[in-house]
Amino acid sequence: MSEFTPADRDYMRRAIDLAQKARFSARPNPKVGCVLVSDNRVVGEGWHHKSGEAHAEINALRVAGESARGSTAFVSLEPCLHDGKTPPCSDALIDAGVARVIAAMQDPNPKVAGRGLEKLRGAGIDVRCGLMQAESEALNRGFISRMIRGRPFVCLKIAASLDGATAMASGESQWITSEDARRDVQLLRALSGAVLTGIGTVLKDDPSLNVRDQSLGPDILQPHRIVLDSTLKMSSSAKMLSLSGKTSVFCIDDRKRHDLEAAGASVVMMDSSDGCPDPGRVFEKLAQMEINDVLVEAGPTLAGALLSAGYVDELVIYQAPHMMGSETHGMIETSGLTQLDQRIELEFLDVTRVGPDLRITAGLRP
């Protein structure tokens, strides 16, 4: 028999729904929601809005006031233990007289890692963990990746025709997919801490790589734009450098850095791998920059290199209902895949209609 009741699940679902409210604004912190329940009645609820501001538990306790004493706190992530930009939430729950804490999952941050729950237990609070853990993990997959693997969660976005083409032989590619699909990509960008591309795409398309869809709300943090540009071919007049938000250019030869830095870019020297910034080092650096989720919007060469090297965690492919023929560029370019048993195994996670197109979400098989 489960130690959690159907009512417990309902309250935790509410906590996770609250956490989702900060899906565009909480980074680099995890998204967390909290519900305080006393005598089968919600007496307070809150979520973590933005880094540097009060955590979910604090916001819920402020709403509950004295009603928090003797209550049960449903939290989508283990309450923090350490002093950071805000005081420890575990102390606040103890001081408020909360009698029971149910957490969806343990905090993967090494500064916490179960010690917040242990402190609560030491104060005489009844503590349970693991209710709706999978849902909580999905909510913060990028934060978990950064804490455990030392690199962000990487999603590769591709727009293609039904026969797998991403551009004509001439390079013409705007627009393969529909306006509905392009609007959906705005959501992917808004959910990402960084959007990464290669210099080839920058020189060919001069992309913005920002969030322009105002309907997503006022709390959106623009993603950090990352350009892999070995020898700094990027122009100081590139469109993205005139936009709000940060742009970092990763290179292996920084002799031309002055003009880009004068235009507002940050130039980052990296170790070389086959004449390009080493992708493993790039993602390690992005983790150090507190980036949880990376959306890759790149050409077939870079896309294929990252996928073949195992750095892609998820693919989102927008597929339009038309054929572009054989005189085209494909979705990815790989080398060394000559036998069927060398293929990169994927599994479909979701297939959804977006306007006239399909959005296929796939993950790498373990």
Side-chain angles (χ1 to χ4, degrees):
M1 182 176 177
S2 172
E3 63 178 313
F4 302 115
T5 68
D8 290 339
R9 295 188 67 85
D10 289 342
Y11 292 131
M12 187 60 79
R13 166 50 60 194
R14 175 59 180 165
I16 290 174
D17 288 345
L18 288 170
Q20 285 276 19
K21 291 178 177 289
R23 59 183 181 158
F24 300 139
S25 60
R27 63 178 185 258
N29 291 354
K31 298 174 280 289
V32 184
C34 177
V35 176
L36 296 172
V37 179
S38 183
D39 296 325
N40 298 314
R41 181 174 65 90
V42 174
V43 295
E45 59 181 31
W47 67 95
H48 177 50
H49 294 246
K50 188 179 296 185
S51 176
E53 296 185 0
H55 288 188
E57 298 92 326
I58 305 302
N59 286 325
L61 289 170
R62 287 172 178 170
V63 173
E66 285 301 314
S67 298
R69 189 163 299 279
S71 68
T72 296
F74 293 85
V75 192
S76 61
L77 184 70
E78 173 185 4
C80 65
L81 178 69
H82 57 289
D83 279 295
K85 295 179 180 178
T86 58
C89 293
S90 53
D91 288 351
L93 292 169
I94 294 169
D95 293 343
V98 169
R100 187 172 180 233
V101 172
I102 298 178
M105 63 173 287
Q106 183 174 299
D107 192 334
N109 187 337
K111 294 180 180 179
V112 187
R115 291 192 291 275
L117 299 177
E118 285 305 312
K119 184 168 187 178
L120 295 171
R121 290 189 180 100
I125 295 174
D126 179 14
V127 176
R128 311 289 171 86
C129 187
L131 174 60
M132 301 182 70
Q133 179 170 328
E135 291 86 340
S136 181
E137 289 176 343
L139 180 66
N140 285 303
R141 64 187 188 179
F143 179 76
I144 295 169
S145 176
R146 179 164 67 89
M147 289 294 130
I148 293 178
R149 300 191 298 175
R151 69 173 182 84
F153 187 94
V154 178
C155 175
L156 171 62
K157 187 274 292 184
I158 299 174
S161 63
L162 193 59
D163 55 347
T166 59
M168 302 304 295
S170 64
E172 182 185 3
S173 61
Q174 295 183 332
W175 296 102
I176 291 175
T177 52
S178 66
E179 184 177 345
D180 300 272
R182 299 196 296 277
R183 188 179 305 116
D184 202 61
V185 172
Q186 293 284 299
L187 175 60
L188 290 183
R189 290 180 183 175
L191 292 170
S192 303
V195 179
L196 182 149
T197 194
I199 184 59
T201 298
V202 173
L203 295 177
K204 173 177 166 288
D205 298 331
D206 194 19
S208 299
L209 301 183
N210 65 345
V211 180
R212 299 181 294 278
D213 188 348
Q214 299 299 313
S215 69
L216 293 174
D219 297 328
I220 292 172
L221 298 174
Q222 287 291 342
H224 195 136
R225 296 175 290 267
I226 307 296
V227 179
L228 304 190
D229 180 7
S230 298
T231 57
L232 298 184
K233 296 178 182 177
M234 184 173 174
S235 170
S236 58
S237 61
K239 187 188 302 181
M240 67 178 72
L241 297 178
S242 66
L243 304 173
S244 61
K246 299 178 181 178
T247 299
S248 292
V249 184
F250 285 50
C251 66
I252 60 173
D253 181 345
D254 66 350
R255 284 176 290 182
K256 301 177 184 177
R257 67 185 304 153
H258 176 76
D259 288 346
L260 285 176
E261 289 178 335
S266 173
V267 175
V268 183
M269 272 285 289
M270 299 300 300
D271 294 337
S272 173
S273 175
D274 296 325
C276 302
D278 182 276
R281 298 295 188 189
V282 167
F283 290 125
E284 286 178 10
K285 180 63 176 178
L286 295 182
Q288 293 168 11
M289 293 163 62
E290 297 189 314
I291 291 172
N292 297 326
D293 301 90
V294 174
L295 178 65
V296 177
E297 297 189 45
T301 302
L302 179 54
L306 295 178
L307 184 61
S308 298
Y311 291 112
V312 174
D313 298 301
E314 183 176 273
L315 292 90
V316 177
I317 302 171
Y318 295 90
Q319 203 155 28
H322 55 242
M323 302 284 196
M324 291 170 58
S326 59
E327 300 300 316
T328 55
H329 296 284
M331 290 193 285
I332 62 169
E333 293 179 5
T334 61
S335 60
L337 300 183
T338 59
Q339 303 293 326
L340 195 58
D341 62 3
Q342 295 175 315
R343 60 192 167 183
I344 300 169
E345 295 282 357
L346 306 173
E347 58 180 339
F348 289 127
L349 304 176
D350 180 71
V351 179
T352 300
R353 185 84 173 261
V354 179
D357 305 322
L358 289 180
R359 183 186 65 213
I360 302 169
T361 305
L364 271 69
R365 285 187 181 174

